[in-house]
Amino acid sequence: MSSCFLKFYVAESRRHHHKLIYEWLLEEAKSFGLQGGSAFRALAGFGRHGRLHEERFFELSGDLPVEVGFVVSEEEAQRFLDHLGQEGLDLFYIKLPVEAGVTGLRRQS
């Protein structure tokens, strides 16, 4: 089975259905049966609009980039992307081939 890393970049304060979009993406992925996902908040970044977002001690704007990622099959990735399109979401994503596994599994001889 071919796996891929599906990664989305969203603004920290962006919402969908009254939820923060990174939380909504994680909950939606879980309801789709995806095996796991993570969200990471950036220190700084800029996107397609060219505006730099960064955290400063005196200015916590809540507009930093958040990366939301999943390791999924190609089929799961396409099904999830189709679903997000039907939701009317305009999200930037990256889909890369990946090899994934679990360490420490005991082998039977």
Side-chain angles (χ1 to χ4, degrees):
M1 175 169 54
S2 169
S3 295
C4 64
F5 185 48
L6 183 60
K7 186 182 342 185
F8 298 91
Y9 290 94
V10 298
E12 180 180 19
S13 60
R14 186 172 172 190
R15 294 183 175 270
H16 184 65
H17 294 303
H18 308 290
K19 288 186 176 185
L20 292 171
I21 199 152
Y22 66 89
E23 291 176 344
W24 183 87
L25 280 168
L26 290 171
E27 290 173 7
E28 203 69 9
K30 186 176 178 183
S31 73
F32 256 63
L34 302 186
Q35 295 300 303
S38 299
F40 298 94
R41 186 171 174 239
L43 295 173
F46 72 94
R48 58 186 156 182
H49 301 296
R51 188 169 148 234
L52 181 63
H53 304 274
E54 58 186 321
E55 182 175 25
R56 298 175 187 233
F57 181 75
F58 58 90
E59 178 187 287
L60 301 176
S61 67
D63 202 23
L64 290 170
V66 174
E67 176 185 289
V68 184
F70 308 95
V71 176
V72 294
S73 70
E74 289 284 342
E75 179 185 302
E76 289 170 324
Q78 194 54 57
R79 197 173 50 127
F80 196 52
L81 289 169
D82 290 344
H83 173 68
L84 298 177
Q86 291 170 356
E87 283 283 327
L89 289 169
D90 178 22
L91 300 175
F92 178 79
Y93 72 91
I94 296 173
K95 187 173 83 163
L96 300 166
V98 67
E99 180 179 325
V102 178
T103 62
L105 293 178
R106 295 183 188 187
R107 295 181 183 200
Q108 296 180 0
S109 34

